[in-house]
Amino acid sequence: MRGSFAGFEGSAVIKRVIGLPGDSVSVETPQGDRPTVLVRPADGSGTFTVNNPRWRGRVGTRVLGCCSSDGSAGKRSQTRWSTVPDDSYWVIGDNWGGSDDSRTYGFMKTSDIRGVAIWRLTPLPSFGLLENADISLDPAP
């Protein structure tokens, strides 16, 4: 992604898309080593928990729950759910505790997305195609 995602003007950043236009997103304040990220797809098919094993052990200082009407945590209102507007996405980093993402800056505009990451270059032991097989949407309890 390259563009005007607040704070990253002109810089390339890689984030994982969690919420598509029309989806509702919520991030519960972390309990332990990772956040609880919930998604309600626009098609009304239920509520799902995003299961990303990469979040385990990736704790930093940015352990924000969310979401306010603009998709961020900083302006959180009484409601914890936020609906992704048309022409936007809700994104989060794999190192969620050390990442500035939609919890910080709100929704990312479609026009700011420049590509899809398919290769990991570093660290060298992880060089190769990016795999998403271990990430899933599980029915929320």
Side-chain angles (χ1 to χ4, degrees), residues 87-140:
D87 198 35
S88 296
Y89 293 87
W90 196 90
V91 300
I92 193 169
D94 278 353
N95 186 8
W96 69 273
S99 181
D100 287 322
D101 46 43
S102 286
R103 293 169 300 153
T104 305
Y105 300 114
F107 301 112
M108 170 163 276
K109 293 286 188 188
T110 302
S111 60
D112 289 336
I113 298 174
R114 298 288 188 249
V116 176
I118 58 172
W119 283 93
R120 178 185 308 256
L121 301 177
T122 61
L124 286 177
S126 298
F127 177 83
L129 286 173
L130 289 173
E131 299 285 335
N132 288 319
D134 57 345
I135 298 169
S136 62
L137 289 177
D138 302 331

Side-chain angles (χ1 to χ4, degrees), residues 31-48:
Q31 300 292 321
D33 66 349
R34 61 184 172 162
T36 300
V37 180
L38 302 168
V39 177
R40 289 182 182 154
D43 67 7
S45 59
T47 300
F48 298 89

Side-chain angles (χ1 to χ4, degrees), residues 6-114:
F8 293 105
E9 289 84 0
S11 299
V13 296
I14 296 176
K15 302 294 174 189
R16 189 170 300 279
V17 173
I18 299 296
L20 303 173
D23 291 351
S24 294
V25 179
S26 176
V27 181
E28 295 180 0
T29 304
Q31 300 292 321
D33 66 349
R34 61 184 172 162
T36 300
V37 180
L38 302 168
V39 177
R40 289 182 182 154
D43 67 7
S45 59
T47 300
F48 298 89
T49 302
V50 179
N51 181 8
N52 184 349
R54 290 172 182 85
W55 289 335
R56 291 187 191 106
R58 301 275 179 110
V59 177
T61 59
R62 296 177 185 101
V63 290
L64 304 170
C66 82
C67 295
S68 66
S69 61
D70 71 354
S72 71
K75 300 173 185 166
R76 190 169 180 175
S77 63
Q78 296 294 341
T79 180
R80 68 178 190 157
W81 288 93
S82 185
T83 300
V84 181
D86 291 341
D87 198 35
S88 296
Y89 293 87
W90 196 90
V91 300
I92 193 169
D94 278 353
N95 186 8
W96 69 273
S99 181
D100 287 322
D101 46 43
S102 286
R103 293 169 300 153
T104 305
Y105 300 114
F107 301 112
M108 170 163 276
K109 293 286 188 188
T110 302
S111 60
D112 289 336
I113 298 174
R114 298 288 188 249

